[in-house]
Amino acid sequence: MKVLVAVKRVVDPSVRVRAKQDGSGVDLANVKMSINPFDEVALEQAVRLKEAGVASEVVAVSIGVREAQETLRTALAMGADRAILLEVLEGQRDIEPLSVAKLLAALVGQEQPRLVLVGKQAIDNDMNATGQMLAGLLGWAQATYASKLELAGDSAVTTQEVDGGLRKVKLKLPAVVSVDLRLNEPRYASLMNIMKAKKKPLDVKSAADFGIDVAPRLTVLKTYEPAGRKAGTKLASVDDLIQKLKSGLEVS
Ligand code: AMP
């Protein structure tokens, strides 16, 4: 069974992003980029499925600018067998979920995987939409927020955290599953595997060749920093605090 994993290149989660002064977006100059953390989990799961003899091939795919090849090399170092970049132009940096889903659907047509794993959300835009749209476009079953994934024969069973407990969902393959952080702990790529990954196939295709309109449908009106916190009040004693609370004054 072939497993396709969608991996997005995003600003590294440890970086404190800053809004540009003119409000036109976040400043990406000299910022460290990484694989989207949820996609790392998706990839780890696919590699474990291969190691368990359930998956026959793991293909990592990214839609992005040329530099996304670095992200795909990381995916290869973590254990993907091969990678595909659907390259977009520099000016098209953040392709919206519907366009990503359409491109992925076209690639699914070419690659014919039985399972597509995606992250539950990309941490740069928090859309949480691509997997659902992809399943809709393909007419496939989908499960979201998987914190456990088991495959047996022609079906998959996922566990999802819901209010007050866990919910198990059975779905027929082929399917799209979006994964949550709790599913597993991704491995670090060893130096040896980073070296080996350099020789693994990474196919670069032009996204434009798919004939899909990737023009944005949303207009970002403004990006700005959250308001700073008000300065706190220092009180002399607990009695003072109680007095303040009783008088209904705001204590910050
Ligand atoms: P989103 O709907 O943007 O929050 O993204 C959800 C998931 O879709 C991500 O975790 C990725 O697995 C996948 N995805 C979104 N955008 C891309 C992209 N440009 N390239 C590859 N995968 C993507």
Side-chain angles (χ1 to χ4, degrees), residues 59-130:
V59 183
V61 54
S62 194
I63 292 140
V65 290
R66 178 163 311 163
E67 293 88 337
Q69 287 187 40
E70 291 162 21
T71 312
L72 288 170
R73 285 283 167 214
T74 308
L76 292 168
M78 281 178 65
D81 296 297
R82 59 190 174 89
I84 304 169
L85 171 65
L86 302 189
E87 189 179 335
V88 297
L89 304 173
E90 182 61 29
Q92 299 172 312
R93 255 177 192 272
D94 204 14
I95 306 286
E96 289 173 10
L98 182 58
S99 305
V100 173
K102 285 182 181 172
L103 286 165
L104 288 175
L107 195 69
V108 163
Q110 292 180 358
E111 290 287 331
Q112 302 282 313
R114 294 283 287 159
L115 179 66
V116 178
L117 294 179
V118 297
K120 77 167 180 188
Q121 71 196 65
I123 61 162
D124 55 356
N125 59 17
D126 286 348
M127 289 283 194
N128 182 359
T130 307

Coordinates of all heavy atoms in Angstrom, one line a residue, residues 59-130:
V59 N 5.6 8.3 0.1 CA 6.0 9.4 -0.8 C 5.6 10.7 -0.1 O 4.5 10.9 0.3 CB 5.2 9.3 -2.1 CG1 5.7 10.4 -3.1 CG2 5.4 7.9 -2.8
A60 N 6.6 11.6 0.1 CA 6.4 12.9 0.7 C 6.2 13.9 -0.4 O 6.9 13.9 -1.4 CB 7.6 13.3 1.6
V61 N 5.2 14.7 -0.2 CA 4.9 15.8 -1.3 C 4.7 17.1 -0.6 O 4.1 17.2 0.5 CB 3.7 15.4 -2.1 CG1 2.4 15.1 -1.3 CG2 3.3 16.5 -3.1
S62 N 5.3 18.1 -1.3 CA 5.1 19.5 -0.8 C 4.7 20.4 -2.0 O 5.2 20.2 -3.1 CB 6.4 20.0 -0.1 OG 6.2 21.1 0.6
I63 N 4.0 21.4 -1.6 CA 3.6 22.4 -2.6 C 4.2 23.7 -2.1 O 3.9 24.1 -1.0 CB 2.1 22.5 -2.8 CG1 1.6 21.2 -3.5 CG2 1.7 23.7 -3.6 CD1 0.3 20.7 -2.9
G64 N 5.2 24.2 -2.9 CA 5.8 25.4 -2.3 C 6.9 25.9 -3.3 O 7.1 25.4 -4.4
V65 N 7.6 26.9 -2.8 CA 8.7 27.5 -3.5 C 9.9 26.5 -3.6 O 9.9 25.5 -2.8 CB 9.1 28.9 -3.0 CG1 8.1 29.9 -3.3 CG2 9.4 28.8 -1.5
R66 N 10.9 26.8 -4.4 CA 12.0 25.9 -4.6 C 12.7 25.5 -3.3 O 13.1 24.3 -3.1 CB 13.1 26.7 -5.5 CG 14.3 25.9 -5.7 CD 15.1 26.5 -6.9 NE 14.2 26.7 -8.0 CZ 14.5 27.5 -9.1 NH1 15.6 28.1 -9.1 NH2 13.6 27.6 -10.1
E67 N 12.7 26.4 -2.3 CA 13.4 26.0 -1.0 C 12.7 24.9 -0.3 O 13.3 24.3 0.6 CB 13.5 27.3 -0.1 CG 14.4 28.4 -0.6 CD 13.7 29.3 -1.5 OE1 12.6 29.0 -2.1 OE2 14.2 30.5 -1.7
A68 N 11.5 24.6 -0.7 CA 10.7 23.5 0.0 C 11.4 22.2 -0.2 O 11.1 21.2 0.4 CB 9.3 23.5 -0.4
Q69 N 12.4 22.2 -1.2 CA 13.2 20.9 -1.4 C 13.9 20.6 -0.1 O 14.1 19.4 0.2 CB 14.2 21.2 -2.5 CG 13.6 21.2 -3.9 CD 14.6 21.2 -5.0 OE1 15.6 20.5 -4.9 NE2 14.3 22.0 -6.0
E70 N 14.3 21.6 0.7 CA 15.0 21.3 2.0 C 14.1 20.5 2.9 O 14.5 19.6 3.6 CB 15.4 22.6 2.7 CG 16.5 23.4 2.0 CD 16.5 24.9 2.5 OE1 15.9 25.1 3.6 OE2 17.0 25.7 1.8
T71 N 12.9 20.9 2.9 CA 11.9 20.3 3.8 C 11.7 18.8 3.3 O 11.6 17.9 4.2 CB 10.5 21.0 3.7 OG1 10.8 22.4 3.8 CG2 9.5 20.6 4.7
L72 N 11.7 18.7 2.0 CA 11.5 17.3 1.5 C 12.7 16.4 1.8 O 12.6 15.2 2.0 CB 11.2 17.3 0.0 CG 9.7 17.9 -0.3 CD1 9.5 18.1 -1.8 CD2 8.7 16.9 0.2
R73 N 13.9 17.1 1.8 CA 15.1 16.3 2.1 C 15.0 15.8 3.6 O 15.4 14.7 3.9 CB 16.4 17.1 1.9 CG 16.8 17.3 0.5 CD 17.5 16.1 -0.1 NE 17.5 16.3 -1.6 CZ 17.4 15.3 -2.5 NH1 17.3 14.1 -2.1 NH2 17.5 15.5 -3.7
T74 N 14.5 16.7 4.4 CA 14.3 16.2 5.8 C 13.3 15.1 5.9 O 13.5 14.1 6.6 CB 13.7 17.4 6.7 OG1 14.5 18.5 6.5 CG2 13.6 17.1 8.2
A75 N 12.2 15.1 5.1 CA 11.3 14.0 5.1 C 11.9 12.7 4.6 O 11.7 11.7 5.1 CB 10.1 14.4 4.2
L76 N 12.8 12.9 3.6 CA 13.5 11.7 3.1 C 14.5 11.1 4.2 O 14.6 9.9 4.3 CB 14.3 12.1 1.8 CG 13.5 12.4 0.6 CD1 14.3 13.0 -0.5 CD2 12.8 11.2 0.1
A77 N 15.1 12.1 4.9 CA 16.0 11.6 6.0 C 15.3 10.9 7.1 O 15.8 10.1 7.8 CB 16.8 12.8 6.5
M78 N 14.0 11.3 7.3 CA 13.2 10.7 8.3 C 12.7 9.3 7.9 O 12.2 8.5 8.7 CB 12.0 11.6 8.7 CG 12.4 12.7 9.6 SD 10.9 13.7 9.9 CE 9.9 12.5 10.8
G79 N 12.8 9.0 6.6 CA 12.4 7.7 6.1 C 11.5 7.6 4.9 O 11.2 6.5 4.5
A80 N 11.1 8.7 4.4 CA 10.3 8.7 3.1 C 11.1 8.0 2.0 O 12.4 8.2 2.0 CB 9.8 10.1 2.7
D81 N 10.5 7.3 1.1 CA 11.3 6.6 0.0 C 11.6 7.6 -1.1 O 12.7 7.5 -1.7 CB 10.4 5.5 -0.5 CG 10.2 4.4 0.5 OD1 11.2 3.8 1.0 OD2 9.0 4.2 0.9
R82 N 10.6 8.5 -1.4 CA 10.9 9.5 -2.4 C 10.0 10.7 -2.1 O 9.1 10.6 -1.3 CB 10.7 8.9 -3.8 CG 9.3 8.4 -4.1 CD 9.3 7.7 -5.5 NE 8.0 7.1 -5.7 CZ 7.0 7.7 -6.3 NH1 7.2 9.0 -6.7 NH2 5.9 7.1 -6.4
A83 N 10.3 11.8 -2.9 CA 9.6 13.0 -2.6 C 9.3 13.7 -3.9 O 9.9 13.5 -4.9 CB 10.5 13.9 -1.7
I84 N 8.2 14.5 -3.8 CA 7.8 15.3 -5.0 C 7.5 16.7 -4.5 O 6.8 16.9 -3.6 CB 6.5 14.7 -5.6 CG1 6.7 13.2 -6.0 CG2 6.0 15.5 -6.8 CD1 5.4 12.5 -6.3
L85 N 8.1 17.6 -5.3 CA 7.8 19.1 -5.0 C 7.0 19.6 -6.2 O 7.4 19.4 -7.3 CB 9.1 19.9 -4.9 CG 8.9 21.4 -4.8 CD1 8.1 21.8 -3.6 CD2 10.2 22.2 -4.9
L86 N 5.8 20.1 -5.8 CA 5.0 20.8 -6.9 C 5.4 22.3 -6.7 O 5.0 23.0 -5.7 CB 3.5 20.6 -6.7 CG 3.1 19.1 -6.7 CD1 1.6 19.1 -6.8 CD2 3.7 18.4 -7.9
E87 N 6.3 22.7 -7.5 CA 6.9 24.1 -7.3 C 6.0 25.2 -7.8 O 5.5 25.1 -8.9 CB 8.3 24.1 -8.0 CG 9.0 25.3 -7.7 CD 10.4 25.4 -8.3 OE1 11.0 24.4 -8.7 OE2 10.9 26.5 -8.5
V88 N 5.9 26.2 -7.0 CA 5.2 27.4 -7.3 C 6.1 28.6 -7.4 O 7.3 28.5 -7.0 CB 4.0 27.7 -6.3 CG1 3.0 26.6 -6.3 CG2 4.6 28.0 -4.9
L89 N 5.7 29.7 -8.0 CA 6.5 30.8 -8.1 C 6.8 31.5 -6.8 O 5.9 31.4 -5.9 CB 6.0 31.8 -9.2 CG 5.6 31.1 -10.5 CD1 4.9 32.1 -11.4 CD2 6.9 30.7 -11.2
E90 N 7.9 32.2 -6.7 CA 8.2 32.9 -5.5 C 7.0 33.8 -5.0 O 6.7 33.9 -3.8 CB 9.5 33.8 -5.7 CG 10.0 34.6 -4.6 CD 10.4 33.7 -3.4 OE1 10.8 32.6 -3.6 OE2 10.3 34.2 -2.3
G91 N 6.4 34.5 -5.9 CA 5.2 35.4 -5.5 C 4.0 34.6 -5.0 O 3.1 35.3 -4.5
Q92 N 4.0 33.3 -5.1 CA 2.8 32.5 -4.7 C 3.1 31.8 -3.4 O 2.5 30.7 -3.2 CB 2.5 31.5 -5.8 CG 2.2 32.1 -7.2 CD 2.0 31.0 -8.2 OE1 2.9 30.1 -8.3 NE2 1.0 31.0 -9.0
R93 N 3.9 32.4 -2.6 CA 4.4 31.7 -1.4 C 3.3 30.8 -0.6 O 3.5 29.7 -0.4 CB 5.0 32.7 -0.4 CG 6.5 32.5 -0.4 CD 7.2 33.5 0.4 NE 8.6 33.4 0.0 CZ 9.4 32.5 0.5 NH1 9.1 31.7 1.5 NH2 10.7 32.4 0.1
D94 N 2.2 31.5 -0.2 CA 1.3 30.7 0.6 C 0.0 30.4 -0.2 O -0.9 31.2 -0.3 CB 0.9 31.5 1.9 CG 0.5 30.5 3.0 OD1 0.7 29.2 2.8 OD2 -0.1 30.9 3.9
I95 N 0.0 29.2 -0.8 CA -1.1 28.7 -1.6 C -2.2 28.3 -0.6 O -2.0 27.6 0.4 CB -0.7 27.5 -2.4 CG1 0.6 27.9 -3.2 CG2 -1.8 27.1 -3.3 CD1 0.4 28.7 -4.4
E96 N -3.4 28.8 -0.9 CA -4.6 28.5 0.0 C -5.0 27.0 -0.1 O -4.8 26.3 -1.1 CB -5.8 29.4 -0.4 CG -5.5 30.8 -0.1 CD -6.6 31.8 -0.6 OE1 -7.6 31.3 -1.1 OE2 -6.3 33.0 -0.5
P97 N -5.6 26.6 1.0 CA -6.0 25.1 1.1 C -6.8 24.6 -0.1 O -6.4 23.4 -0.5 CB -6.9 25.1 2.4 CG -6.3 26.2 3.2 CD -5.9 27.3 2.3
L98 N -7.7 25.3 -0.7 CA -8.4 24.7 -1.8 C -7.5 24.4 -3.0 O -7.6 23.4 -3.6 CB -9.6 25.6 -2.2 CG -10.5 25.1 -3.3 CD1 -11.1 23.7 -2.9 CD2 -11.6 26.0 -3.7
S99 N -6.6 25.3 -3.2 CA -5.7 25.1 -4.3 C -4.7 24.0 -4.0 O -4.4 23.2 -4.9 CB -4.9 26.4 -4.6 OG -5.7 27.5 -4.8
V100 N -4.2 23.9 -2.8 CA -3.3 22.8 -2.4 C -4.1 21.5 -2.5 O -3.6 20.5 -3.1 CB -2.9 23.0 -0.9 CG1 -2.1 21.8 -0.4 CG2 -2.0 24.2 -0.7
A101 N -5.3 21.5 -2.1 CA -6.1 20.3 -2.1 C -6.3 19.8 -3.6 O -6.3 18.6 -3.9 CB -7.5 20.5 -1.4
K102 N -6.6 20.8 -4.5 CA -6.8 20.5 -5.9 C -5.5 19.9 -6.5 O -5.5 18.9 -7.3 CB -7.2 21.7 -6.7 CG -8.7 22.1 -6.4 CD -9.0 23.3 -7.3 CE -10.5 23.7 -7.0 NZ -10.8 25.0 -7.7
L103 N -4.3 20.5 -6.1 CA -3.1 20.0 -6.6 C -2.8 18.6 -6.1 O -2.4 17.7 -6.8 CB -1.9 20.9 -6.3 CG -1.9 22.2 -7.1 CD1 -1.0 23.3 -6.4 CD2 -1.4 22.0 -8.5
L104 N -3.1 18.4 -4.8 CA -2.9 17.1 -4.2 C -3.8 16.0 -4.9 O -3.4 14.9 -5.1 CB -3.1 17.1 -2.7 CG -2.1 17.8 -1.8 CD1 -2.5 17.9 -0.4 CD2 -0.7 17.1 -1.9
A105 N -5.0 16.5 -5.1 CA -6.0 15.5 -5.8 C -5.5 15.1 -7.1 O -5.5 13.9 -7.5 CB -7.4 16.2 -5.9
A106 N -4.9 16.1 -7.9 CA -4.3 15.7 -9.2 C -3.1 14.7 -9.0 O -3.0 13.8 -9.8 CB -3.8 17.0 -9.9
L107 N -2.3 15.0 -8.0 CA -1.2 14.1 -7.8 C -1.6 12.7 -7.3 O -1.0 11.7 -7.7 CB -0.3 14.7 -6.7 CG 1.1 14.1 -6.7 CD1 1.9 14.4 -7.9 CD2 1.9 14.5 -5.5
V108 N -2.7 12.7 -6.5 CA -3.3 11.4 -6.1 C -3.7 10.6 -7.3 O -3.5 9.4 -7.4 CB -4.4 11.6 -5.1 CG1 -5.3 10.3 -5.0 CG2 -3.9 12.0 -3.8
G109 N -4.2 11.3 -8.3 CA -4.6 10.6 -9.6 C -3.4 10.0 -10.3 O -3.5 8.9 -10.8
Q110 N -2.3 10.6 -10.2 CA -1.1 10.1 -10.8 C -0.4 9.0 -10.0 O 0.0 8.0 -10.5 CB 0.0 11.2 -11.0 CG -0.4 12.2 -12.0 CD 0.7 13.3 -12.2 OE1 1.7 13.3 -11.5 NE2 0.4 14.3 -13.0
E111 N -0.4 9.2 -8.7 CA 0.3 8.3 -7.8 C -0.5 7.1 -7.3 O 0.1 6.1 -6.8 CB 0.9 9.1 -6.6 CG 2.0 10.0 -7.0 CD 3.3 9.3 -7.2 OE1 3.5 8.2 -6.7 OE2 4.1 9.8 -8.1
Q112 N -1.8 7.3 -7.2 CA -2.7 6.2 -6.7 C -2.4 5.6 -5.4 O -2.2 4.4 -5.2 CB -2.7 5.1 -7.8 CG -3.1 5.5 -9.2 CD -4.6 5.6 -9.3 OE1 -5.4 4.8 -8.9 NE2 -5.1 6.7 -9.8
P113 N -2.2 6.5 -4.3 CA -2.0 5.9 -3.0 C -3.3 5.4 -2.4 O -4.4 5.8 -2.9 CB -1.5 7.2 -2.2 CG -2.2 8.3 -2.9 CD -2.3 8.0 -4.3
R114 N -3.2 4.6 -1.4 CA -4.4 4.1 -0.7 C -4.7 4.9 0.5 O -5.8 4.9 1.0 CB -4.2 2.6 -0.3 CG -4.1 1.6 -1.4 CD -5.4 1.3 -2.0 NE -6.2 0.5 -1.2 CZ -7.5 0.3 -1.4 NH1 -8.2 1.1 -2.3 NH2 -8.2 -0.5 -0.6
L115 N -3.7 5.6 0.9 CA -3.8 6.5 2.1 C -3.1 7.8 1.9 O -1.9 7.8 1.5 CB -3.3 5.7 3.3 CG -3.3 6.4 4.7 CD1 -4.8 6.6 5.2 CD2 -2.6 5.6 5.8
V116 N -3.7 8.9 2.3 CA -3.0 10.2 2.3 C -3.0 10.7 3.7 O -4.1 10.7 4.4 CB -3.7 11.2 1.4 CG1 -3.0 12.5 1.5 CG2 -3.8 10.7 -0.1
L117 N -1.9 11.0 4.3 CA -1.8 11.5 5.6 C -1.4 13.0 5.5 O -0.5 13.4 4.8 CB -0.7 10.8 6.4 CG -1.0 9.3 6.7 CD1 0.2 8.7 7.5 CD2 -2.3 9.2 7.5
V118 N -2.1 13.8 6.3 CA -1.8 15.2 6.3 C -1.8 15.7 7.8 O -2.3 14.9 8.7 CB -2.9 16.1 5.6 CG1 -2.9 15.8 4.1 CG2 -4.3 15.9 6.2
G119 N -1.2 16.8 8.1 CA -1.3 17.4 9.4 C -2.7 17.9 9.7 O -3.4 18.3 8.7
K120 N -3.1 18.0 10.9 CA -4.4 18.6 11.2 C -4.4 20.1 10.8 O -5.5 20.6 10.5 CB -4.9 18.4 12.6 CG -4.3 19.3 13.7 CD -5.1 19.2 15.0 CE -4.4 20.1 16.0 NZ -5.0 19.9 17.3
Q121 N -3.3 20.8 10.9 CA -3.2 22.2 10.5 C -1.8 22.6 10.2 O -0.9 22.0 10.8 CB -3.9 23.1 11.5 CG -3.0 23.3 12.8 CD -3.9 23.8 13.9 OE1 -4.8 23.2 14.4 NE2 -3.5 25.0 14.3
A122 N -1.7 23.6 9.3 CA -0.4 24.2 9.1 C -0.2 25.3 10.1 O -1.1 26.1 10.3 CB -0.3 24.7 7.7
I123 N 0.9 25.3 10.8 CA 1.0 26.3 12.0 C 1.2 27.7 11.5 O 1.1 28.6 12.3 CB 2.1 25.9 13.0 CG1 3.5 25.9 12.3 CG2 1.8 24.6 13.7 CD1 4.6 26.0 13.3
D124 N 1.4 27.9 10.2 CA 1.5 29.3 9.8 C 0.2 30.0 9.5 O 0.1 31.2 9.5 CB 2.5 29.4 8.5 CG 2.1 28.5 7.4 OD1 1.1 27.8 7.5 OD2 2.7 28.6 6.3
N125 N -0.8 29.2 9.1 CA -2.1 29.9 8.8 C -3.2 29.3 9.6 O -4.4 29.8 9.5 CB -2.4 29.8 7.3 CG -2.4 28.4 6.8 OD1 -2.6 27.4 7.5 ND2 -2.4 28.2 5.5
D126 N -3.0 28.2 10.3 CA -4.1 27.5 11.1 C -5.4 27.3 10.3 O -6.4 27.5 10.9 CB -4.3 28.4 12.3 CG -3.2 28.3 13.4 OD1 -2.4 27.4 13.2 OD2 -3.2 29.1 14.3
M127 N -5.3 26.9 9.1 CA -6.5 26.8 8.3 C -7.3 25.5 8.7 O -8.5 25.5 8.7 CB -6.2 26.7 6.8 CG -5.7 28.0 6.3 SD -7.2 29.1 6.0 CE -6.5 30.4 5.0
N128 N -6.6 24.4 8.9 CA -7.2 23.1 9.2 C -8.3 22.8 8.2 O -9.5 22.6 8.5 CB -7.8 23.2 10.7 CG -8.5 22.0 11.1 OD1 -8.5 21.0 10.4 ND2 -9.0 22.0 12.3
A129 N -7.9 22.8 6.9 CA -8.9 22.7 5.9 C -8.5 21.7 4.8 O -9.3 21.1 4.1 CB -9.3 24.0 5.3
T130 N -7.2 21.6 4.5 CA -6.7 21.0 3.3 C -7.1 19.5 3.2 O -7.6 19.1 2.2 CB -5.1 21.1 3.2 OG1 -4.8 22.5 3.4 CG2 -4.6 20.6 1.9

